[in-house]
Structures are given as C-alpha cells and as structure tokens.
Amino acid sequence: MMPFDYHRPDSAAAACERGHGAPNSAFIAGGTNLLDLMKLGVMTPETVIDVSRLGLDGIEEQGEGLSIGATVPNADLADDPRVRARWPLLSRALLSGASGQLRNMATTAGNLLQRTRCPYFQDTDTPCNKREPGSGCSALGGEMRNHAIFGTSEHCVALHPSDMAVAMRALDAEVEICDPDGKTRCLDLDQFYREPGDTPHIETRLDPGDLVTAVRLPAPRGDRQVYRKVRDRASYAFALVSVAAVLRMQDGKIESAALAFGGVGTKPWRDLEVDLLLQGERPSDALFDKAGETLTQGAETHEGTAFKVPLVKRVLKAVLTEATQ
C-alpha cells in the first residue's frame, strides 16, 4: 500500500473542503472496498479523509419516506423495523449482498460507490480503461462471465456490483450530496451513475469534494415487493442476474410497476419501457414473456455473457409471477 495523509474532519463541510483541496483524495467510512483496492494498488489516494464520525449514521423519517445517513451500516439498515415493514425489498437485497461481518462495516454511501469487481480492473498488470484511461479493455476478448450486457461501450463492459443499489433504483431513491460550497443537491440513481461511454473512469456525477450525506427513500409506490438474485453459489457472491420489483395491483391488473436489474448493467439498470408495458395489464405468461423480450432487445452480448439474456428473462418472469399472485 502506498503512503497517504490521513485526516478526520469534524463536519461534512470540512470534509468537502478537504476533498476539494486534495484532488487525489478519497473519503473513507467502513473501508470494505477502498482498503482492498489500496492494498492491490488499484486506488492510490494521496489523502484519505475519514467521514465515519460526522453524525451521518442515523435513519430518520422524512414525511412518508426515510432519510438514510451516508454512514449507516448495511446491517443496521437491513434490520431497521421501518425498512423491514415498508421497504422489505431493500432489506432482502442487503441481506443477500454480503456476510454479516461485512454488513456491520459497509455503509450506505460506500455500497452505492463501490467499484466494479472486474478482475482486469483489480489486476494492475493488465490494461483497463477504468483504472488507466486509454490503456484498453482487457475484458473484451477475455473472461466475460461476470460482465454487463446493458450500458456497455467499446471502452468498458464492467459490471456494477451492488445489490442495495438495484433495490434503491426500483424504490426511486435519491442521493443527497453536499458540495464544497456548502450547497446540497439531490440526484436520482439514474442521474447519479454514468454509463462508461468513452470515459469509464468517471463513474458518477460527483465532482471533486462532493460528499454523499444521505439517501432519501420516498414512500413505497407499491405494496408488493420482490427481490430475487441468481448467483454461482448459495453463499455470498455477486449476482449473475438479480431483479427488484415494486408492484401495485388493482382489480386483478397491474396498476403500477417499477423494475430494476442487477448483474447485467454497468450501473443499476432500469428500463421504463418495461414498466410501462406492464401497467394496466392483467398478469399472464404472455405478458411476462413480452416484458423479457422488451428488456433484452438492446442487450450487447459477447462470448461468455450471452447466457444472461435467457437467464434475466426467466428471473424476470419468476419475479413477476410471484409479485402478482
């Protein structure tokens, strides 16, 4: 691990100021991802700013929704009785995402900002545009099983690994961000994450010194919530495919639907065309098959990822069947 300067500011504003003044810096709270990457030499910040003691570890009711502090541990969030009762999708996603030890350390913001587990990104002996812009993408033509089929580009096919972010995407969560000028803005997850395009090293809309301070969950927009994750082994592993669904039924029809997908996109994936296709329709195998076809019509597959097209169709159909029974 390379040497670095360590700072522990006493406020979010001071953390933002320090981060803005030290461009090659990184915020740390739980450190479950950052420290691993620093040990590998993938991330080499000159300044590490500890934000774990800034009072951002609370979960507060905000109207009919919740405000979840950036440093709330994943374990606390998954076990919160309000989350389990009204947003069970989020709790299930968190519980499927990591072991108890990791959930005790990993934080809400850290989970959203975790880096890809692409083996070429983590191997400093191989070219990677996400790690070193312009060096090339070793995954193309390499081992592709755990890579994306949506949102990819000729420069990067790396998968976004978070389970929590997929659930948050289906729940229409917003990320609260404090900037070095002391201003606060909110972005939904579609705005927050960037697709790789020709700049895969720029993964979010965060500017230097920006600090995620909370995630805002609106009131649930559906009374039926399902999360299903398919992985290579029953113990904790990253998703090959996952589907998060929030549905509301009325008179035997799907009144509203919000679906998000993991294991398939360069960011937590959502296709509003699929949501609209289901709206107002009676559940049926034919409808669910059509939803799967609509979702995958724009998939970009390579040798090693083609299996994800039929797999995500099957998982989507199973989730929709469960949610509409």
Side-chain angles (χ1 to χ4, degrees), residues 32 59 63 209 226 270 273 280 313:
T32 57
I59 303 174
V226 178
R270 188 162 173 188
E273 189 176 347
K313 289 179 182 179

Side-chain angles (χ1 to χ4, degrees), residues 171-235:
L171 292 166
D172 294 317
E174 291 186 335
V175 181
E176 179 185 286
I177 302 161
C178 176
D179 69 21
D181 294 326
K183 298 177 181 177
T184 298
R185 69 185 190 278
C186 288
L187 298 175
D188 65 38
L189 290 185
D190 189 48
Q191 297 171 312
F192 181 72
Y193 291 113
R194 293 169 53 113
E195 294 179 24
D198 58 3
T199 55
H201 60 294
I202 305 175
E203 298 173 350
T204 70
R205 303 288 175 181
L206 294 175
D207 295 322
D210 281 356
L211 176 67
V212 174
T213 52
V215 173
R216 298 180 183 179
L217 269 185
R221 295 192 170 98
D223 54 354
R224 303 189 184 196
Q225 300 180 24
V226 178
Y227 186 77
R228 184 169 296 197
K229 176 179 179 178
V230 176
R231 46 195 166 187
D232 278 326
R233 62 180 188 270
S235 61

Side-chain angles (χ1 to χ4, degrees), residues 12-296:
C16 291
E17 184 177 355
R18 174 71 69 174
H20 187 260
N24 188 17
S25 63
F27 294 122
I28 190 170
T32 57
N33 186 212
L34 175 62
L35 290 178
D36 285 344
L37 295 176
M38 290 174 67
K39 291 175 184 178
L40 292 170
V42 174
M43 294 183 68
T44 56
E46 297 174 5
T47 303
V48 174
I49 304 164
D50 187 343
V51 297
S52 64
R53 295 169 175 83
L54 300 182
L56 303 176
D57 56 351
I59 303 174
E60 300 176 355
E61 294 182 13
Q62 194 173 61
E64 292 297 312
L66 285 182
S67 176
I68 303 162
T71 60
V72 171
N74 287 175
D76 291 359
L77 183 57
D79 291 341
D80 186 277
R82 295 162 295 185
V83 173
R84 294 174 66 182
R86 302 188 64 208
W87 295 272
L89 169 65
L90 177 57
S91 183
R92 291 170 193 152
L94 285 163
L95 292 173
S96 76
S99 67
Q101 294 94 328
L102 282 173
R103 291 198 303 272
N104 283 335
M105 290 300 298
T107 62
T108 300
N111 193 308
L112 291 176
L113 292 169
Q114 64 182 295
R115 309 296 300 277
T116 182
R117 264 53 176 196
C118 173
Y120 303 104
F121 170 72
Q122 295 186 333
D123 182 357
T124 57
D125 290 330
T126 62
C128 172
N129 288 320
K130 188 178 285 291
R131 178 170 26 83
E132 186 179 346
S135 63
C137 177
S138 296
L140 294 171
E143 172 56 50
M144 296 283 287
R145 180 172 175 79
N146 291 307
H147 287 80
I149 59 174
F150 298 126
T152 61
S153 75
E154 62 180 318
H155 303 285
C156 186
V157 292
L159 191 68
H160 193 279
S162 173
D163 288 281
M164 186 195 78
V166 175
M168 293 281 199
R169 185 80 177 90
L171 292 166
D172 294 317
E174 291 186 335
V175 181
E176 179 185 286
I177 302 161
C178 176
D179 69 21
D181 294 326
K183 298 177 181 177
T184 298
R185 69 185 190 278
C186 288
L187 298 175
D188 65 38
L189 290 185
D190 189 48
Q191 297 171 312
F192 181 72
Y193 291 113
R194 293 169 53 113
E195 294 179 24
D198 58 3
T199 55
H201 60 294
I202 305 175
E203 298 173 350
T204 70
R205 303 288 175 181
L206 294 175
D207 295 322
D210 281 356
L211 176 67
V212 174
T213 52
V215 173
R216 298 180 183 179
L217 269 185
R221 295 192 170 98
D223 54 354
R224 303 189 184 196
Q225 300 180 24
V226 178
Y227 186 77
R228 184 169 296 197
K229 176 179 179 178
V230 176
R231 46 195 166 187
D232 278 326
R233 62 180 188 270
S235 61
Y236 296 106
F238 295 103
L240 293 173
V241 164
S242 64
V243 179
V246 181
L247 272 68
R248 184 181 302 280
M249 299 293 294
Q250 181 71 35
D251 299 327
K253 294 183 178 181
I254 302 170
E255 184 178 274
S256 64
L259 299 163
F261 304 87
V264 291
T266 55
K267 64 180 184 178
W269 200 254
R270 188 162 173 188
D271 188 332
L272 297 181
E273 189 176 347
V274 177
D275 296 353
L276 291 173
L277 172 70
L278 297 168
Q279 189 173 318
E281 300 292 334
R282 291 190 179 277
S284 68
D285 287 346
L287 176 65
F288 300 159
D289 288 339
K290 187 176 180 181
E293 291 295 334
T294 300
L295 171 67
T296 58

